[in-house]
Amino acid sequence: MKSEIKSPCIKVCKYDSEGNCMGCHRSMEEITNWIFMSDDKKRESLRKAEIRKQTPIKGTNNYDYYV
C-alpha cells in the first residue's frame, strides 16, 4: 500500500549535535526507517520533528555537523 504521507526531506542533510537533520528535523533513525514506517509512525515522526524544530539546542551553533 502506498503511503499518503510524503517525506519532509528538503535536501539540506546537515546534522546538529544531537544527530537531527537541520532541514527536516528528523533523527537519523527516522530518516533511515521512513520508507518502512506505517502512516501512523510517519505522523509521529513528523510530530517529533516539529517539536525539535521549535526547540533550539543550547551550547552549539548547529552548523558543525554535516552528512
Side-chain angles (χ1 to χ4, degrees):
M1 178 189 278
K2 188 171 181 170
S3 176
E4 296 290 321
I5 301 173
K6 296 186 186 232
S7 171
C9 180
I10 60 169
K11 311 281 191 261
V12 171
C13 303
K14 296 179 185 175
Y15 293 88
D16 65 23
S17 61
E18 294 183 358
N20 298 315
C21 178
M22 294 168 51
C24 66
H25 303 282
R26 293 178 294 166
S27 69
M28 288 185 199
E29 181 180 4
E30 290 167 332
I31 292 167
T32 302
N33 292 322
W34 184 261
I35 62 171
F36 304 109
M37 290 179 174
S38 67
D39 282 354
D40 286 341
K41 293 279 187 184
K42 288 179 181 179
R43 284 186 198 93
E44 178 67 13
S45 174
L46 293 173
R47 186 189 67 76
K48 289 178 182 178
E50 186 59 35
I51 292 168
R52 289 184 201 111
K53 181 178 180 179
Q54 297 175 18
T55 308
I57 298 171
K58 295 180 181 177
T60 66
N61 63 18
N62 286 349
Y63 294 101
D64 294 335
Y65 301 87
Y66 300 91
V67 174

